Every structure is written in C-alpha cells, then in structure tokens.
Amino acid sequence: MADACTHLDQIRVTSASVAGCEDCLAAGDIWVHLRLCVGCGRVGCCDDSPNQHATRYYGKSGHPLIRSYEPGEKWWWWCYLDEVAFELEGAGLARAGG
C-alpha cells in the first residue's frame, strides 16, 4: 500500500450523466453509496452495497481511480492500485440533474 496515489494523471471526468449505480438501476437493485470512475464516468455502488459494482468495474476496466458520488463526501477518493483513500480538493463534484 502506498502513502499517496500515483495515478492522478488518469483523471478524465469529474461528473456523469447517471444519477445512480448503472448496473443496479438496470437490474432494479439498491445501493448504499455511489462511486464515480474518474477514468470514464461510470457510476457504480460501493463495497458496502450488495453488488459492489464499482470494484467489479475496476476489475474489468483497470481504471484505478474512483471518487465519491455522494453529497457531503465530495472530496473522498480511492486508488485501487495504490490502495489508498485520499481527499482531493478543487476537483468539484457534479451530479446528474444538478
């Protein structure tokens, strides 16, 4: 585990056009918290959610960075490769529909 994320150069997006976990919405499932892949903008549910779609998507895509897609958690980030959570101010958080 690293002390800091070394993959910030892979940030491509900071918002998405979907207001929920894409896979849960398609299946009619529920989630606990939402995570945004900042490599491509895909929204998935967190590891506390039944389906853990954000982590599953990382396994398929290899995109190392996610950020919270929840109000009040706007600076929370996670790097799968470096296994580090961190805060990143100034990146903004735009949610679908607002």
Side-chain angles (χ1 to χ4, degrees), residues 14-50:
T14 58
S15 66
S17 61
V18 178
C21 173
E22 295 182 36
D23 294 313
C24 286
L25 287 169
D29 287 338
I30 60 167
W31 58 82
V32 177
H33 294 285
L34 297 173
R35 304 297 183 229
L36 174 69
C37 172
V38 297
C40 68
R42 184 171 185 83
V43 178
C45 54
C46 72
D47 285 354
D48 289 333
S49 298

Side-chain angles (χ1 to χ4, degrees), residues 41-64:
R42 184 171 185 83
V43 178
C45 54
C46 72
D47 285 354
D48 289 333
S49 298
N51 296 305
Q52 303 176 345
H53 286 125
T55 297
R56 287 180 185 205
Y57 184 69
Y58 161 68
K60 293 176 189 174
S61 70
H63 299 166

